[in-house]
Amino acid sequence: MRRLIRFALVVALVAGSAFTTAAAAPAVQAADPVAEVTAKLQTIPGLRIESSTTVSGKPFFVLWYTQAADHRKPRGEKFEQRVTLWHRGFDRPTVLHTTGYGGVGGAFTSEPTRLVDGNQLNVEQRFFNTSKPASQDWTKLNIWQAATDHHEIIQAFKKALYSGKWVSTGASKGGMTSVYHRRFYPNDVDATVAYVAPQDVDNRRDSYVSFIQDAGTDPACNLALRNMQRNTLLRRPAMVAKLKEMAAQKGLTYEDTFGTVDRAFEAAVLDTPFAFWQYSTQANCPQVPGTAAATDQQLFDFIDQISGWEFYSDEGTADFLPYYYQATQQLNWPDVASKTTWLKGLLHYREAGDAPAAVPDSIEPKHEPYAMADVDKWLKTSGRRMLFVYGENDPWSAEKFEPGRGTRDSHWYIQPAGNHGSSITGLPAAQRAEATQILQTWMGVAPNPAVAQTKTTTIDPGAQRQGRLR
């Protein structure tokens, strides 16, 4: 169940990133560009400024906003949530961006921010990194509590700084998070742009595995991936020995999350075709060691490159326990093992790659099967000004947010041959111009489709992870 975190996730996006490291302001300035924003931020109750600087001549802040651990008990326990702000102008639209994970780091430009030349608030998800209550009461981690975090931040910043148009955005789990926020607070923002955001409505009816088998343009590639899995599992003793040797060299353990090295090994093997299409393309198919002639080392190295053996260690999964908890409780997860029929007789564990396998029994939540159905119903009956971008070959596109009869002024796009790094910039020219103009019109800025020509990442590079998660 490493698929989603991997977005939170790697190569394709970093290559096109517009990441900008914070640089010191010039020594000689006519005025301090940070001072006016600082003065307004200081009027927000519960907001703490950790640092301020300028990036590309624009004020950039690292902030901490005080939230209720339980928004139903606002006078109870509090915690600070990490937020960054990159200010363009008080008269500009404002973009609320989230990865749905931690990793709120330096300044970067999300695609919607660039397309509308807007201010950008980047919000860390509750329970990730240090944005969590001291009590660590896991029952307070659900989509409504997180949506209310965003609601509180938006209302505070609207009052103090930005009274104009707002758009929420995120990719993968960040895109999901943006939609959940709209479900509970539909009028907080004027629009939402969600990238490669899966919507697994019914955990019992997954189509991920069948989708993967049709990905790409050459069936031989998927046959090679299946053969790679079979050959690896047929050599289980030798491969597990290699994994144990690697773990000893790197000081890794595999006992807390998966219980044994063998179970972690099986999870990684199961994940590899999914992770391949999530981040690779048809051009990478010749790299698949899909014949019986492949050596143990070639198989081991390929899985390490695609899924990452280290990610399946206790150390690799530790920071993502909040994700596994959410997936187990409400978000659902791909059922890979039971539908991977070509590995029948070679698998030893019923749920090696499933989310519950990564959640300690002491905190494992009761599954809420109707949470995603509720969000789905809202979108189909009441959703408005929603723009979705998916990748044609991205496995997460197997389970998409879909429009309904009541969905208004909303739009869906699929990037041809796209993977989990798909974006508006990657769309064919006519669709790229159309989507750009739709967003700019929503935000009340002059239409300028030309700004979509420059590729940028859709997620914070500081949130990139290994593994196969959203």
Side-chain angles (χ1 to χ4, degrees):
M1 186 50 204
R2 313 300 163 257
R3 310 170 188 89
L4 260 192
I5 288 178
R6 191 166 176 87
F7 199 74
L9 304 198
V10 233
V11 178
L13 295 181
V14 173
S17 171
F19 179 77
T20 309
T21 55
V28 179
Q29 296 185 21
D32 180 1
V34 177
E36 186 178 8
V37 181
T38 299
K40 291 181 179 291
L41 289 172
Q42 289 172 339
T43 68
I44 299 178
L47 185 72
R48 176 169 63 89
I49 302 175
E50 176 184 300
S51 64
S52 61
T53 186
T54 57
V55 177
S56 300
K58 302 295 184 180
F60 177 80
F61 298 84
V62 176
L63 310 167
W64 293 90
Y65 185 77
T66 302
Q67 298 278 15
D70 182 354
H71 287 292
R72 291 187 170 87
K73 297 179 180 179
R75 295 185 180 181
E77 182 184 13
K78 302 291 193 298
F79 74 99
E80 285 191 317
Q81 188 168 27
R82 185 179 175 89
V83 180
T84 62
L85 167 64
W86 200 358
H87 173 85
R88 301 296 203 281
F90 297 111
D91 61 341
R92 302 307 304 164
T94 301
V95 178
L96 181 79
H97 175 273
T98 178
T99 65
Y101 295 95
V104 176
F108 83 104
T109 304
S110 72
E111 187 171 63
T113 302
R114 179 174 58 79
L115 295 182
V116 303
D117 188 26
N119 308 297
Q120 182 170 292
L121 282 167
N122 197 22
V123 182
E124 187 164 77
Q125 184 85 344
R126 65 165 42 209
F127 277 73
F128 283 87
N129 292 344
T130 56
S131 295
K132 58 187 174 185
S135 66
Q136 295 194 49
D137 180 352
W138 289 93
T139 65
K140 303 306 182 288
L141 176 59
N142 57 51
I143 59 174
W144 179 82
Q145 295 281 4
T148 307
D149 290 342
H150 295 164
H151 171 72
E152 295 292 333
I153 290 170
I154 289 169
Q155 295 306 311
F157 277 80
K158 276 186 175 181
K159 183 177 180 180
L161 288 92
Y162 308 123
S163 59
K165 298 286 188 179
W166 281 67
V167 58
S168 58
T169 191
S172 197
K173 187 170 181 285
M176 297 158 64
T177 301
S178 297
V179 178
Y180 304 154
H181 167 246
R182 288 293 298 282
R183 187 276 176 246
F184 295 109
Y185 299 97
N187 299 318
D188 269 1
V189 298
D190 299 279
T192 296
V193 180
Y195 297 88
V196 293
Q199 167 66 337
D200 192 346
V201 178
D202 189 340
N203 211 52
R204 301 165 299 178
R205 299 180 180 179
D206 281 354
S207 56
Y208 294 107
V209 173
S210 59
F211 180 95
I212 295 169
Q213 295 313 300
D214 291 327
T217 58
D218 183 4
C221 186
N222 292 313
L223 176 60
L225 286 165
R226 292 195 295 271
N227 288 338
M228 175 276 303
Q229 287 180 295
R230 286 189 57 83
N231 290 334
T232 303
L233 290 170
L234 284 167
R235 306 179 198 183
R236 184 186 290 258
M239 302 300 285
V240 170
K242 281 185 171 294
L243 183 53
K244 288 180 177 179
E245 181 182 2
M246 186 203 78
Q249 292 173 349
K250 295 187 175 183
L252 302 174
T253 59
Y254 287 84
E255 284 71 42
D256 292 342
T257 302
F258 288 97
T260 65
V261 174
D262 189 63
R263 189 175 184 182
F265 159 79
E266 186 167 298
V269 175
L270 276 170
D271 284 354
T272 299
F274 196 113
F276 178 86
W277 286 115
Q278 188 170 350
Y279 293 105
S280 303
T281 68
Q282 185 70 44
N284 300 109
C285 287
Q287 301 170 10
V288 181
T291 70
T295 66
D296 291 354
Q297 193 63 48
Q298 287 174 323
L299 293 168
F300 189 87
D301 290 345
F302 178 76
I303 294 173
D304 194 31
Q305 175 190 352
I306 301 299
S307 290
W309 294 114
E310 188 168 344
F311 181 81
Y312 293 79
S313 69
D314 300 331
E315 294 77 10
T317 59
D319 288 343
F320 301 105
L321 177 57
Y323 166 73
Y324 299 125
Y325 182 95
Q326 285 192 279
T328 301
Q329 181 191 37
Q330 294 180 314
L331 308 186
N332 297 325
W333 62 90
D335 179 7
V336 174
S338 69
K339 294 180 171 60
T340 309
T341 55
W342 57 92
L343 300 181
K344 186 177 181 180
L346 297 177
L347 299 177
H348 295 177
Y349 307 96
R350 185 177 60 85
E351 57 171 26
D354 293 351
V359 181
D361 292 342
S362 60
I363 64 168
E364 185 170 330
K366 181 180 179 181
H367 183 57
E368 299 177 16
Y370 304 112
M372 292 300 98
D374 172 73
V375 174
D376 194 60
K377 180 180 179 180
W378 168 81
L379 178 65
K380 291 179 176 178
T381 58
S382 305
R384 67 184 181 90
R385 289 188 174 179
M386 310 287 290
L387 194 155
F388 293 89
V389 179
Y390 290 98
E392 182 182 19
N393 290 333
D394 177 18
W396 290 112
S397 295
E399 306 272 342
K400 297 188 290 288
F401 283 97
E402 301 282 3
R405 295 180 63 182
T407 308
R408 294 167 291 165
D409 192 13
S410 296
H411 309 268
W412 276 254
Y413 296 95
I414 297 178
Q415 179 177 321
N419 59 16
H420 211 48
S422 296
S423 64
I424 291 174
T425 305
L427 296 173
Q431 292 185 355
R432 180 170 65 238
E434 178 183 271
T436 301
Q437 184 169 343
I438 288 169
L439 174 60
Q440 291 171 340
T441 300
W442 282 344
M443 293 297 100
V445 302
N448 180 17
V451 299
Q453 300 301 316
T454 303
K455 182 172 177 57
T456 57
T457 180
T458 55
I459 70 167
D460 181 350
Q464 304 298 319
R465 309 296 181 206
Q466 296 294 322
R468 173 178 53 86
L469 288 89
R470 285 173 273 207

